[in-house]
Amino acid sequence: MENGLLGRMGIPRLIISLFLAFLVAMAFSYGLPMGQIFSAMLTRFGMNALLVMAMIPTIQAGAGPNFGLPFGIICGLIGATLAIELDLRNFTALFFAIGVSIPLGAFAGWLYGLLLNRVKGQEMTVGTYMGFSIVSLMCIFWLMAPYSSPEMVWPYGGDGLRVTVVLDGRMEQLLDRLWSFTIGSVRIPTGLLLVTIFCCILLWLFLRTRTGLAMSIVGSNPRFAEASGLNVNKYRMIASIISCAMGAAGIVIYSQSYGFIQLYQAPLYMALYSVSAILIGGASLQRATITQALIGTFLFNALLVIALPVANVAMDSDISEIMRVIISNGIILYALTRREVGGDAR
Amino acid sequence: MKLIQRNIVPILFIILCTIGFQYSGLSWMFFANDLMARLARNSFLVISLIIPVLAGMGLNFGIVLGAMAGQFAAFITVVHNLTGVGGFFAACVMAIPFAVLFGWLTGILFNKAKGKEMITGLILGFFANGVYQLICLIFIGWLIPISNKALLLPSGVGFVNTLDLKIWQYAIDKFYVFRARGIDIPVLKYLNNINIPVLTLVIVAILCTAVVLLFKTKLGQDFRAVGQNRHIAEIAGIKVDKVRIIAVIFSTVLAAWGQLIFLQNIGNVQVYGSHVQVGTFAVAALLIGGATVSKATIGQALLGTVLFHALFIVSPLAGKNLMGSAQVGEYFRVFIAYGVIGIALALHAWQRLAKKT
């Protein structure tokens, strides 16, 4: 790594920041409603932050970004749908959903961890496909599961749950609206941001406990860790459990802010978007910090939020989805081809 | 006993397909004809995976780029209205430069990510799909002028969702169709009344022979040497990086042709969808045939194509009859495709780890 600003920032992050600045300038010059855009940026940042932070434990433990995040996401969706099935509302629903999701997610993470410890070195490929298969297996579950809440099943005798479940009046934007206020024309989703900060602090504290530090050592140098008596597999397992539990809670927070629970194929690529967000923040496949996760989440989502209206005005076609695909996968490719600093000690 | 152990995956799928066929209630005639058509149109794509496997690069998810190359060539024939068998072969020829370029770029990328080729190929497929959409949806009609406005969206920019390929549909499939009649021999009589697209099968057979012969040449031996051990091959004076790039180029070109054969059977291009699942389905088929990440034969490719697509044909109806919903069968086959790949990759990584320690 070279020193200096460029070295510290990394070329991709620099390019993306400049691009973002360019789009913001464009938006201003087109006279777009900037208040709305900045509010949307903040909301989307809060929506995704926890899902992106879920990447940190596994990266730190040397298992790479958690491409198996769908394992956790699925559990969060089960929690959220159960809350509606039981006809819960407001904070009861939210806390119930999160309360159910976290232990389920931890269990799924435990299973996933068993797998991860048997496929060292291939975690990313195996994780991706295992994630894809669990999402398609769960499609059958959503279709067959005996849910009966009329808000979730198809109204006219169709099979199973709807593709998107509306959270209107249940827990839609519950955190976003909590203590929210407006500065100028920018609405600050206070509750959502506070929850994000709370999660950051929890994770920060965890990474500084004995277990957390041991986990980072296992990741940065497995042989040294083994020689000093640390059980490598145990710490990788802990990382997987925490990561999936965070993914589970993360999707509940995501859904409440979005206002819909997306079922079936929707979680398929969510892991990829979280991976790319943290990489955009400057993380590598071996090292990641909370700051990088937050910066990455903000840059990635800000870019997506602003690209849509700007592209609509500039060339009246929807280029933002294409851009999202190119940028998110491009950054993962970049990370994959980077020479690994220190090499793989396994 | 050992034979069963070694072929456990295909055997499992034969059982699964048989059960599925029983419950689907399909007639043998319909099933066999559909399977024959699917075998003819998909086997080429599956075979295109073999060379990188033997060159030690694992399953080349990057064949999606080959499929895109094929589609670009197909678009050109549509725009210039090249019809019939000639149009089809013109597309095959025009696909080569695209495929060589894409394969070369893929190869360079794979060389920078040695040991992570599969995840790189997968992500590259997604990335390339973004670039492909950018070209087809934004550049076409804006930077790249198209004279035939009927092919474009109403705004005049970007291709419509579905392009008709009637101009060379069945160009080779219906070139000569053989249909057996009146066979009385007990087992073979099941072959009666099945439409056999002779030319397509001949082309596939030629390809199989060519791949076998390729591995007898110096280049083919280099592929194998690199596949067995990169470092020893390097010491033996083989230019490893170059050989790997050539392997990927071969794979990409074959995939482009494979996609064209697929399209001439289907008769239209889903501009934004036909290529997306090519990699996943081809890889799943190869693995179901009993191949692994480091070993694959032509027999496995063909057997895998038959089994995978047999499952594809029967699962919606079997799902409907067993579970009361055709959707279950649909999701089940997608799950099988992903699950087979996931399990095969996990087993491979597991075995390699066990060998190391």
Side-chain angles (χ1 to χ4, degrees), chain A residues 118-119 122 128-130 133 136 139 143-144 264 272 315 317 322 325-326 329-330 336 340, chain B residues 61 112 116 119 122-123 126-127 130 133 138 280 327-328 331 335 338-339 342 346 350 352:
Chain A
R118 283 170 177 75
V119 299
Q122 293 288 324
T128 307
Y129 271 96
M130 283 301 176
S133 27
S136 19
C139 285
L143 210 58
M144 310 287 289
Y264 296 94
L272 291 183
M315 47 201 299
S317 56
I322 298 176
V325 171
I326 292 181
N329 293 300
L336 281 168
E340 288 158 41
Chain B
F61 289 97
K112 289 199 168 185
K116 292 178 289 198
I119 185 76
L122 181 68
I123 304 287
F126 295 147
F127 175 77
Q133 284 182 17
I138 311 285
T280 301
Q327 274 289 312
V328 172
Y331 288 130
F335 165 64
Y338 287 139
W350 193 345
R352 208 168 50 176

mmCIF file of all heavy atoms in Angstrom, chain A residues 118-119 122 128-130 133 136 139 143-144 264 272 315 317 322 325-326 329-330 336 340, chain B residues 61 112 116 119 122-123 126-127 130 133 138 280 327-328 331 335 338-339 342 346 350 352:
data_model
loop_
_atom_site.group_PDB
_atom_site.id
_atom_site.type_symbol
_atom_site.label_atom_id
_atom_site.label_comp_id
_atom_site.label_asym_id
_atom_site.label_seq_id
_atom_site.Cartn_x
_atom_site.Cartn_y
_atom_site.Cartn_z
ATOM 1 N N ARG A 118 -15.559 -26.404 6.714
ATOM 2 C CA ARG A 118 -15.146 -27.551 5.915
ATOM 3 C C ARG A 118 -14.705 -27.140 4.517
ATOM 4 O O ARG A 118 -14.207 -27.982 3.766
ATOM 5 C CB ARG A 118 -16.285 -28.551 5.831
ATOM 6 C CG ARG A 118 -16.405 -29.343 7.092
ATOM 7 C CD ARG A 118 -17.674 -30.168 7.130
ATOM 8 N NE ARG A 118 -17.720 -30.979 8.336
ATOM 9 C CZ ARG A 118 -17.989 -30.497 9.549
ATOM 10 N NH1 ARG A 118 -18.218 -29.211 9.700
ATOM 11 N NH2 ARG A 118 -18.011 -31.283 10.589
ATOM 12 N N VAL A 119 -14.910 -25.900 4.134
ATOM 13 C CA VAL A 119 -14.578 -25.486 2.769
ATOM 14 C C VAL A 119 -13.632 -24.290 2.786
ATOM 15 O O VAL A 119 -13.751 -23.388 1.966
ATOM 16 C CB VAL A 119 -15.843 -25.153 1.945
ATOM 17 C CG1 VAL A 119 -16.724 -26.370 1.830
ATOM 18 C CG2 VAL A 119 -16.619 -24.022 2.577
ATOM 19 N N GLN A 122 -12.595 -21.703 -0.118
ATOM 20 C CA GLN A 122 -13.620 -21.623 -1.170
ATOM 21 C C GLN A 122 -14.912 -21.044 -0.607
ATOM 22 O O GLN A 122 -15.989 -21.298 -1.141
ATOM 23 C CB GLN A 122 -13.899 -23.017 -1.735
ATOM 24 C CG GLN A 122 -12.747 -23.629 -2.490
ATOM 25 C CD GLN A 122 -12.528 -22.947 -3.820
ATOM 26 O OE1 GLN A 122 -13.474 -22.546 -4.485
ATOM 27 N NE2 GLN A 122 -11.283 -22.773 -4.205
ATOM 28 N N THR A 128 -21.968 -18.456 -1.972
ATOM 29 C CA THR A 128 -22.885 -17.888 -2.955
ATOM 30 C C THR A 128 -23.925 -18.917 -3.377
ATOM 31 O O THR A 128 -25.127 -18.655 -3.357
ATOM 32 C CB THR A 128 -22.117 -17.431 -4.204
ATOM 33 O OG1 THR A 128 -21.079 -16.577 -3.784
ATOM 34 C CG2 THR A 128 -23.009 -16.692 -5.157
ATOM 35 N N TYR A 129 -23.465 -20.098 -3.761
ATOM 36 C CA TYR A 129 -24.407 -21.091 -4.266
ATOM 37 C C TYR A 129 -25.276 -21.672 -3.181
ATOM 38 O O TYR A 129 -26.444 -21.998 -3.412
ATOM 39 C CB TYR A 129 -23.694 -22.154 -5.101
ATOM 40 C CG TYR A 129 -23.648 -21.687 -6.517
ATOM 41 C CD1 TYR A 129 -22.542 -21.042 -7.042
ATOM 42 C CD2 TYR A 129 -24.783 -21.777 -7.303
ATOM 43 C CE1 TYR A 129 -22.546 -20.535 -8.303
ATOM 44 C CE2 TYR A 129 -24.803 -21.273 -8.572
ATOM 45 C CZ TYR A 129 -23.681 -20.654 -9.076
ATOM 46 O OH TYR A 129 -23.720 -20.133 -10.334
ATOM 47 N N MET A 130 -24.718 -21.826 -1.968
ATOM 48 C CA MET A 130 -25.561 -22.295 -0.872
ATOM 49 C C MET A 130 -26.629 -21.238 -0.574
ATOM 50 O O MET A 130 -27.781 -21.570 -0.291
ATOM 51 C CB MET A 130 -24.712 -22.561 0.375
ATOM 52 C CG MET A 130 -23.939 -23.855 0.275
ATOM 53 S SD MET A 130 -25.058 -25.229 0.039
ATOM 54 C CE MET A 130 -23.963 -26.590 -0.172
ATOM 55 N N SER A 133 -29.259 -21.525 -3.177
ATOM 56 C CA SER A 133 -30.142 -22.686 -3.046
ATOM 57 C C SER A 133 -31.088 -22.528 -1.867
ATOM 58 O O SER A 133 -32.238 -22.936 -1.959
ATOM 59 C CB SER A 133 -29.381 -24.010 -2.966
ATOM 60 O OG SER A 133 -28.126 -23.866 -2.448
ATOM 61 N N SER A 136 -33.982 -20.449 -3.017
ATOM 62 C CA SER A 136 -34.974 -21.143 -3.853
ATOM 63 C C SER A 136 -35.716 -22.209 -3.059
ATOM 64 O O SER A 136 -36.885 -22.473 -3.326
ATOM 65 C CB SER A 136 -34.357 -21.740 -5.125
ATOM 66 O OG SER A 136 -32.991 -21.869 -5.033
ATOM 67 N N CYS A 139 -38.443 -20.511 -1.332
ATOM 68 C CA CYS A 139 -39.555 -20.194 -2.225
ATOM 69 C C CYS A 139 -40.649 -21.237 -2.050
ATOM 70 O O CYS A 139 -41.841 -20.912 -2.018
ATOM 71 C CB CYS A 139 -39.096 -20.199 -3.681
ATOM 72 S SG CYS A 139 -38.130 -18.778 -4.126
ATOM 73 N N LEU A 143 -44.513 -20.823 -0.392
ATOM 74 C CA LEU A 143 -45.653 -21.306 -1.148
ATOM 75 C C LEU A 143 -46.506 -22.265 -0.327
ATOM 76 O O LEU A 143 -47.731 -22.270 -0.429
ATOM 77 C CB LEU A 143 -45.127 -22.025 -2.392
ATOM 78 C CG LEU A 143 -45.961 -22.033 -3.640
ATOM 79 C CD1 LEU A 143 -46.249 -20.628 -4.080
ATOM 80 C CD2 LEU A 143 -45.184 -22.755 -4.734
ATOM 81 N N MET A 144 -45.838 -23.079 0.505
ATOM 82 C CA MET A 144 -46.550 -24.169 1.183
ATOM 83 C C MET A 144 -46.891 -23.856 2.639
ATOM 84 O O MET A 144 -47.752 -24.503 3.221
ATOM 85 C CB MET A 144 -45.705 -25.454 1.162
ATOM 86 C CG MET A 144 -45.155 -25.845 -0.177
ATOM 87 S SD MET A 144 -46.425 -26.498 -1.260
ATOM 88 C CE MET A 144 -46.739 -28.066 -0.482
ATOM 89 N N TYR A 264 -39.808 -14.639 -1.676
ATOM 90 C CA TYR A 264 -39.401 -15.416 -2.843
ATOM 91 C C TYR A 264 -37.990 -15.054 -3.302
ATOM 92 O O TYR A 264 -37.067 -15.102 -2.528
ATOM 93 C CB TYR A 264 -40.440 -15.297 -3.967
ATOM 94 C CG TYR A 264 -41.770 -15.889 -3.556
ATOM 95 C CD1 TYR A 264 -42.765 -15.085 -3.003
ATOM 96 C CD2 TYR A 264 -42.014 -17.244 -3.671
ATOM 97 C CE1 TYR A 264 -43.975 -15.632 -2.599
ATOM 98 C CE2 TYR A 264 -43.221 -17.792 -3.262
ATOM 99 C CZ TYR A 264 -44.192 -16.979 -2.728
ATOM 100 O OH TYR A 264 -45.374 -17.518 -2.326
ATOM 101 N N LEU A 272 -24.755 -9.961 -2.451
ATOM 102 C CA LEU A 272 -23.808 -9.323 -3.370
ATOM 103 C C LEU A 272 -23.785 -7.813 -3.175
ATOM 104 O O LEU A 272 -22.730 -7.189 -3.184
ATOM 105 C CB LEU A 272 -24.168 -9.654 -4.819
ATOM 106 C CG LEU A 272 -23.964 -11.108 -5.229
ATOM 107 C CD1 LEU A 272 -24.294 -11.291 -6.699
ATOM 108 C CD2 LEU A 272 -22.538 -11.540 -4.972
ATOM 109 N N MET A 315 -31.476 11.574 -19.716
ATOM 110 C CA MET A 315 -31.585 10.740 -20.909
ATOM 111 C C MET A 315 -32.867 9.905 -20.942
ATOM 112 O O MET A 315 -32.919 8.893 -21.617
ATOM 113 C CB MET A 315 -30.352 9.854 -21.036
ATOM 114 C CG MET A 315 -29.954 9.151 -19.754
ATOM 115 S SD MET A 315 -28.235 8.646 -19.783
ATOM 116 C CE MET A 315 -28.259 7.551 -21.188
ATOM 117 N N SER A 317 -34.117 7.483 -19.685
ATOM 118 C CA SER A 317 -34.219 6.033 -19.597
ATOM 119 C C SER A 317 -33.632 5.627 -18.248
ATOM 120 O O SER A 317 -32.796 6.326 -17.691
ATOM 121 C CB SER A 317 -33.463 5.364 -20.729
ATOM 122 O OG SER A 317 -32.134 5.785 -20.727
ATOM 123 N N ILE A 322 -29.010 -0.559 -14.133
ATOM 124 C CA ILE A 322 -27.836 -1.033 -14.867
ATOM 125 C C ILE A 322 -26.573 -0.605 -14.136
ATOM 126 O O ILE A 322 -25.630 -1.378 -13.946
ATOM 127 C CB ILE A 322 -27.844 -0.467 -16.302
ATOM 128 C CG1 ILE A 322 -29.073 -0.970 -17.048
ATOM 129 C CG2 ILE A 322 -26.574 -0.837 -17.040
ATOM 130 C CD1 ILE A 322 -29.217 -0.399 -18.440
ATOM 131 N N VAL A 325 -25.848 -2.705 -11.107
ATOM 132 C CA VAL A 325 -25.263 -4.006 -11.447
ATOM 133 C C VAL A 325 -23.790 -3.849 -11.793
ATOM 134 O O VAL A 325 -22.937 -4.583 -11.297
ATOM 135 C CB VAL A 325 -26.035 -4.637 -12.627
ATOM 136 C CG1 VAL A 325 -25.322 -5.870 -13.127
ATOM 137 C CG2 VAL A 325 -27.443 -4.989 -12.204
ATOM 138 N N ILE A 326 -23.483 -2.848 -12.631
ATOM 139 C CA ILE A 326 -22.098 -2.685 -13.078
ATOM 140 C C ILE A 326 -21.200 -2.313 -11.911
ATOM 141 O O ILE A 326 -20.141 -2.917 -11.689
ATOM 142 C CB ILE A 326 -22.009 -1.626 -14.199
ATOM 143 C CG1 ILE A 326 -22.691 -2.146 -15.460
ATOM 144 C CG2 ILE A 326 -20.549 -1.290 -14.503
ATOM 145 C CD1 ILE A 326 -22.641 -1.204 -16.623
ATOM 146 N N ASN A 329 -20.914 -5.237 -9.082
ATOM 147 C CA ASN A 329 -20.114 -6.393 -9.480
ATOM 148 C C ASN A 329 -18.705 -6.002 -9.884
ATOM 149 O O ASN A 329 -17.764 -6.766 -9.677
ATOM 150 C CB ASN A 329 -20.810 -7.165 -10.592
ATOM 151 C CG ASN A 329 -22.078 -7.813 -10.100
ATOM 152 O OD1 ASN A 329 -22.042 -8.622 -9.186
ATOM 153 N ND2 ASN A 329 -23.201 -7.431 -10.662
ATOM 154 N N GLY A 330 -18.571 -4.797 -10.458
ATOM 155 C CA GLY A 330 -17.241 -4.317 -10.823
ATOM 156 C C GLY A 330 -16.332 -4.216 -9.611
ATOM 157 O O GLY A 330 -15.172 -4.634 -9.648
ATOM 158 N N LEU A 336 -11.397 -9.052 -6.058
ATOM 159 C CA LEU A 336 -10.947 -10.429 -6.291
ATOM 160 C C LEU A 336 -9.594 -10.477 -6.977
ATOM 161 O O LEU A 336 -8.815 -11.394 -6.766
ATOM 162 C CB LEU A 336 -11.973 -11.169 -7.156
ATOM 163 C CG LEU A 336 -13.219 -11.671 -6.449
ATOM 164 C CD1 LEU A 336 -14.260 -12.113 -7.457
ATOM 165 C CD2 LEU A 336 -12.878 -12.814 -5.520
ATOM 166 N N GLU A 340 -3.251 -10.308 -2.818
ATOM 167 C CA GLU A 340 -3.555 -10.317 -1.399
ATOM 168 C C GLU A 340 -2.336 -9.898 -0.598
ATOM 169 O O GLU A 340 -1.263 -10.474 -0.742
ATOM 170 C CB GLU A 340 -4.017 -11.709 -0.969
ATOM 171 C CG GLU A 340 -5.397 -12.029 -1.487
ATOM 172 C CD GLU A 340 -5.659 -13.512 -1.544
ATOM 173 O OE1 GLU A 340 -5.258 -14.207 -0.610
ATOM 174 O OE2 GLU A 340 -6.250 -13.947 -2.537
ATOM 175 N N PHE B 61 -18.000 -20.266 -15.117
ATOM 176 C CA PHE B 61 -19.266 -19.549 -15.102
ATOM 177 C C PHE B 61 -19.249 -18.409 -16.115
ATOM 178 O O PHE B 61 -20.277 -17.824 -16.422
ATOM 179 C CB PHE B 61 -19.562 -19.007 -13.708
ATOM 180 C CG PHE B 61 -19.921 -20.073 -12.721
ATOM 181 C CD1 PHE B 61 -18.978 -20.594 -11.865
ATOM 182 C CD2 PHE B 61 -21.200 -20.566 -12.670
ATOM 183 C CE1 PHE B 61 -19.308 -21.587 -10.962
ATOM 184 C CE2 PHE B 61 -21.542 -21.556 -11.770
ATOM 185 C CZ PHE B 61 -20.594 -22.068 -10.916
ATOM 186 N N LYS B 112 -5.427 -13.094 -13.107
ATOM 187 C CA LYS B 112 -5.183 -12.199 -11.980
ATOM 188 C C LYS B 112 -5.844 -12.705 -10.718
ATOM 189 O O LYS B 112 -5.604 -12.187 -9.636
ATOM 190 C CB LYS B 112 -5.722 -10.794 -12.301
ATOM 191 C CG LYS B 112 -4.905 -10.094 -13.332
ATOM 192 C CD LYS B 112 -5.165 -8.610 -13.277
ATOM 193 C CE LYS B 112 -4.136 -7.899 -14.116
ATOM 194 N NZ LYS B 112 -4.257 -6.464 -14.019
ATOM 195 N N LYS B 116 -9.316 -18.426 -7.617
ATOM 196 C CA LYS B 116 -10.662 -17.906 -7.335
ATOM 197 C C LYS B 116 -11.423 -17.762 -8.650
ATOM 198 O O LYS B 116 -12.298 -16.912 -8.779
ATOM 199 C CB LYS B 116 -10.556 -16.543 -6.634
ATOM 200 C CG LYS B 116 -9.984 -16.642 -5.226
ATOM 201 C CD LYS B 116 -9.840 -15.282 -4.576
ATOM 202 C CE LYS B 116 -8.729 -14.499 -5.200
ATOM 203 N NZ LYS B 116 -8.232 -13.374 -4.401
ATOM 204 N N ILE B 119 -15.601 -18.015 -8.521
ATOM 205 C CA ILE B 119 -16.361 -16.861 -8.018
ATOM 206 C C ILE B 119 -16.129 -15.667 -8.947
ATOM 207 O O ILE B 119 -17.053 -14.899 -9.239
ATOM 208 C CB ILE B 119 -15.984 -16.538 -6.552
ATOM 209 C CG1 ILE B 119 -16.838 -15.421 -5.973
ATOM 210 C CG2 ILE B 119 -14.530 -16.178 -6.388
ATOM 211 C CD1 ILE B 119 -18.199 -15.819 -5.599
ATOM 212 N N LEU B 122 -18.324 -16.097 -11.949
ATOM 213 C CA LEU B 122 -19.729 -15.849 -11.603
ATOM 214 C C LEU B 122 -20.015 -14.355 -11.539
ATOM 215 O O LEU B 122 -20.964 -13.851 -12.152
ATOM 216 C CB LEU B 122 -20.024 -16.500 -10.252
ATOM 217 C CG LEU B 122 -21.436 -16.375 -9.743
ATOM 218 C CD1 LEU B 122 -22.374 -17.175 -10.612
ATOM 219 C CD2 LEU B 122 -21.519 -16.841 -8.308
ATOM 220 N N ILE B 123 -19.155 -13.632 -10.797
ATOM 221 C CA ILE B 123 -19.347 -12.193 -10.665
ATOM 222 C C ILE B 123 -19.143 -11.518 -12.017
ATOM 223 O O ILE B 123 -19.866 -10.587 -12.379
ATOM 224 C CB ILE B 123 -18.374 -11.610 -9.618
ATOM 225 C CG1 ILE B 123 -18.534 -12.309 -8.273
ATOM 226 C CG2 ILE B 123 -18.560 -10.113 -9.472
ATOM 227 C CD1 ILE B 123 -19.774 -11.974 -7.522
ATOM 228 N N PHE B 126 -22.292 -11.552 -13.935
ATOM 229 C CA PHE B 126 -23.231 -10.507 -13.512
ATOM 230 C C PHE B 126 -22.785 -9.152 -14.058
ATOM 231 O O PHE B 126 -23.587 -8.364 -14.557
ATOM 232 C CB PHE B 126 -23.302 -10.427 -11.984
ATOM 233 C CG PHE B 126 -23.861 -11.656 -11.332
ATOM 234 C CD1 PHE B 126 -23.418 -12.058 -10.084
ATOM 235 C CD2 PHE B 126 -24.832 -12.403 -11.958
ATOM 236 C CE1 PHE B 126 -23.936 -13.192 -9.477
ATOM 237 C CE2 PHE B 126 -25.358 -13.537 -11.363
ATOM 238 C CZ PHE B 126 -24.907 -13.923 -10.120
ATOM 239 N N PHE B 127 -21.477 -8.887 -13.917
ATOM 240 C CA PHE B 127 -20.924 -7.608 -14.355
ATOM 241 C C PHE B 127 -21.148 -7.430 -15.852
ATOM 242 O O PHE B 127 -21.643 -6.394 -16.310
ATOM 243 C CB PHE B 127 -19.433 -7.575 -14.026
ATOM 244 C CG PHE B 127 -18.719 -6.355 -14.520
ATOM 245 C CD1 PHE B 127 -18.855 -5.150 -13.857
ATOM 246 C CD2 PHE B 127 -17.906 -6.415 -15.640
ATOM 247 C CE1 PHE B 127 -18.195 -4.024 -14.307
ATOM 248 C CE2 PHE B 127 -17.246 -5.289 -16.093
ATOM 249 C CZ PHE B 127 -17.391 -4.095 -15.424
ATOM 250 N N GLY B 130 -24.487 -6.447 -16.835
ATOM 251 C CA GLY B 130 -24.725 -5.014 -16.706
ATOM 252 C C GLY B 130 -24.250 -4.257 -17.929
ATOM 253 O O GLY B 130 -24.965 -3.410 -18.478
ATOM 254 N N GLN B 133 -26.491 -4.937 -20.854
ATOM 255 C CA GLN B 133 -27.726 -4.150 -20.806
ATOM 256 C C GLN B 133 -27.472 -2.709 -21.208
ATOM 257 O O GLN B 133 -28.278 -2.091 -21.897
ATOM 258 C CB GLN B 133 -28.325 -4.189 -19.412
ATOM 259 C CG GLN B 133 -29.010 -5.488 -19.110
ATOM 260 C CD GLN B 133 -29.645 -5.477 -17.734
ATOM 261 O OE1 GLN B 133 -29.847 -4.428 -17.136
ATOM 262 N NE2 GLN B 133 -29.939 -6.650 -17.233
ATOM 263 N N ILE B 138 -29.194 1.147 -23.916
ATOM 264 C CA ILE B 138 -28.875 2.573 -23.974
ATOM 265 C C ILE B 138 -28.125 2.943 -25.264
ATOM 266 O O ILE B 138 -28.446 3.935 -25.909
ATOM 267 C CB ILE B 138 -28.012 2.985 -22.759
ATOM 268 C CG1 ILE B 138 -28.617 2.475 -21.466
ATOM 269 C CG2 ILE B 138 -27.814 4.497 -22.731
ATOM 270 C CD1 ILE B 138 -29.829 3.211 -20.973
ATOM 271 N N THR B 280 -25.288 -21.107 -15.038
ATOM 272 C CA THR B 280 -25.789 -21.937 -13.941
ATOM 273 C C THR B 280 -26.336 -23.259 -14.447
ATOM 274 O O THR B 280 -26.004 -24.320 -13.928
ATOM 275 C CB THR B 280 -26.899 -21.180 -13.197
ATOM 276 O OG1 THR B 280 -26.357 -19.969 -12.706
ATOM 277 C CG2 THR B 280 -27.421 -21.992 -12.044
ATOM 278 N N GLN B 327 -46.095 -24.466 -9.359
ATOM 279 C CA GLN B 327 -45.033 -23.561 -8.906
ATOM 280 C C GLN B 327 -43.982 -24.298 -8.072
ATOM 281 O O GLN B 327 -42.808 -24.023 -8.157
ATOM 282 C CB GLN B 327 -45.649 -22.431 -8.070
ATOM 283 C CG GLN B 327 -46.141 -21.264 -8.900
ATOM 284 C CD GLN B 327 -44.993 -20.482 -9.468
ATOM 285 O OE1 GLN B 327 -44.066 -20.153 -8.768
ATOM 286 N NE2 GLN B 327 -45.036 -20.208 -10.763
ATOM 287 N N VAL B 328 -44.472 -25.255 -7.240
ATOM 288 C CA VAL B 328 -43.545 -26.005 -6.399
ATOM 289 C C VAL B 328 -42.493 -26.685 -7.260
ATOM 290 O O VAL B 328 -41.302 -26.634 -6.974
ATOM 291 C CB VAL B 328 -44.300 -27.043 -5.543
ATOM 292 C CG1 VAL B 328 -43.328 -27.947 -4.814
ATOM 293 C CG2 VAL B 328 -45.183 -26.335 -4.541
ATOM 294 N N TYR B 331 -39.966 -24.109 -8.599
ATOM 295 C CA TYR B 331 -38.968 -23.717 -7.609
ATOM 296 C C TYR B 331 -38.047 -24.883 -7.277
ATOM 297 O O TYR B 331 -36.860 -24.694 -7.039
ATOM 298 C CB TYR B 331 -39.651 -23.208 -6.335
ATOM 299 C CG TYR B 331 -40.293 -21.866 -6.496
ATOM 300 C CD1 TYR B 331 -41.595 -21.639 -6.116
ATOM 301 C CD2 TYR B 331 -39.571 -20.810 -7.041
ATOM 302 C CE1 TYR B 331 -42.185 -20.406 -6.265
ATOM 303 C CE2 TYR B 331 -40.156 -19.570 -7.196
ATOM 304 C CZ TYR B 331 -41.461 -19.368 -6.812
ATOM 305 O OH TYR B 331 -42.027 -18.139 -6.968
ATOM 306 N N PHE B 335 -34.079 -24.899 -7.321
ATOM 307 C CA PHE B 335 -33.352 -25.301 -6.123
ATOM 308 C C PHE B 335 -32.349 -26.403 -6.450
ATOM 309 O O PHE B 335 -31.200 -26.364 -6.005
ATOM 310 C CB PHE B 335 -34.342 -25.783 -5.053
ATOM 311 C CG PHE B 335 -33.709 -26.534 -3.934
ATOM 312 C CD1 PHE B 335 -32.804 -25.910 -3.087
ATOM 313 C CD2 PHE B 335 -33.999 -27.871 -3.721
ATOM 314 C CE1 PHE B 335 -32.208 -26.608 -2.052
ATOM 315 C CE2 PHE B 335 -33.406 -28.571 -2.692
ATOM 316 C CZ PHE B 335 -32.511 -27.942 -1.861
ATOM 317 N N TYR B 338 -29.230 -24.901 -8.274
ATOM 318 C CA TYR B 338 -28.315 -24.213 -7.364
ATOM 319 C C TYR B 338 -27.732 -25.186 -6.344
ATOM 320 O O TYR B 338 -26.540 -25.148 -6.037
ATOM 321 C CB TYR B 338 -29.048 -23.089 -6.629
ATOM 322 C CG TYR B 338 -29.357 -21.889 -7.486
ATOM 323 C CD1 TYR B 338 -30.574 -21.228 -7.384
ATOM 324 C CD2 TYR B 338 -28.423 -21.400 -8.382
ATOM 325 C CE1 TYR B 338 -30.865 -20.120 -8.157
ATOM 326 C CE2 TYR B 338 -28.706 -20.296 -9.159
ATOM 327 C CZ TYR B 338 -29.926 -19.654 -9.041
ATOM 328 O OH TYR B 338 -30.192 -18.567 -9.804
ATOM 329 N N GLY B 339 -28.610 -26.047 -5.803
ATOM 330 C CA GLY B 339 -28.172 -26.950 -4.745
ATOM 331 C C GLY B 339 -27.091 -27.903 -5.219
ATOM 332 O O GLY B 339 -26.098 -28.115 -4.517
ATOM 333 N N GLY B 342 -23.897 -25.984 -5.413
ATOM 334 C CA GLY B 342 -23.393 -25.685 -4.070
ATOM 335 C C GLY B 342 -22.787 -26.904 -3.411
ATOM 336 O O GLY B 342 -21.669 -26.856 -2.884
ATOM 337 N N ALA B 346 -18.904 -27.570 -2.489
ATOM 338 C CA ALA B 346 -18.549 -27.785 -1.085
ATOM 339 C C ALA B 346 -17.789 -29.096 -0.924
ATOM 340 O O ALA B 346 -16.751 -29.154 -0.261
ATOM 341 C CB ALA B 346 -19.816 -27.785 -0.226
ATOM 342 N N TRP B 350 -14.015 -29.518 0.409
ATOM 343 C CA TRP B 350 -13.855 -30.347 1.599
ATOM 344 C C TRP B 350 -12.793 -31.422 1.362
ATOM 345 O O TRP B 350 -11.866 -31.612 2.148
ATOM 346 C CB TRP B 350 -15.205 -30.983 1.909
ATOM 347 C CG TRP B 350 -15.332 -31.617 3.241
ATOM 348 C CD1 TRP B 350 -14.317 -31.942 4.093
ATOM 349 C CD2 TRP B 350 -16.539 -31.994 3.884
ATOM 350 N NE1 TRP B 350 -14.836 -32.505 5.211
ATOM 351 C CE2 TRP B 350 -16.195 -32.555 5.117
ATOM 352 C CE3 TRP B 350 -17.885 -31.924 3.523
ATOM 353 C CZ2 TRP B 350 -17.140 -33.040 6.004
ATOM 354 C CZ3 TRP B 350 -18.826 -32.406 4.410
ATOM 355 C CH2 TRP B 350 -18.462 -32.954 5.637
ATOM 356 N N ARG B 352 -10.460 -31.450 -0.868
ATOM 357 C CA ARG B 352 -9.125 -30.888 -1.062
ATOM 358 C C ARG B 352 -8.497 -30.541 0.281
ATOM 359 O O ARG B 352 -7.314 -30.752 0.504
ATOM 360 C CB ARG B 352 -9.207 -29.649 -1.947
ATOM 361 C CG ARG B 352 -7.928 -29.423 -2.719
ATOM 362 C CD ARG B 352 -8.104 -28.402 -3.781
ATOM 363 N NE ARG B 352 -8.723 -27.187 -3.262
ATOM 364 C CZ ARG B 352 -8.912 -26.108 -3.988
ATOM 365 N NH1 ARG B 352 -8.547 -26.097 -5.233
ATOM 366 N NH2 ARG B 352 -9.487 -25.042 -3.483
#
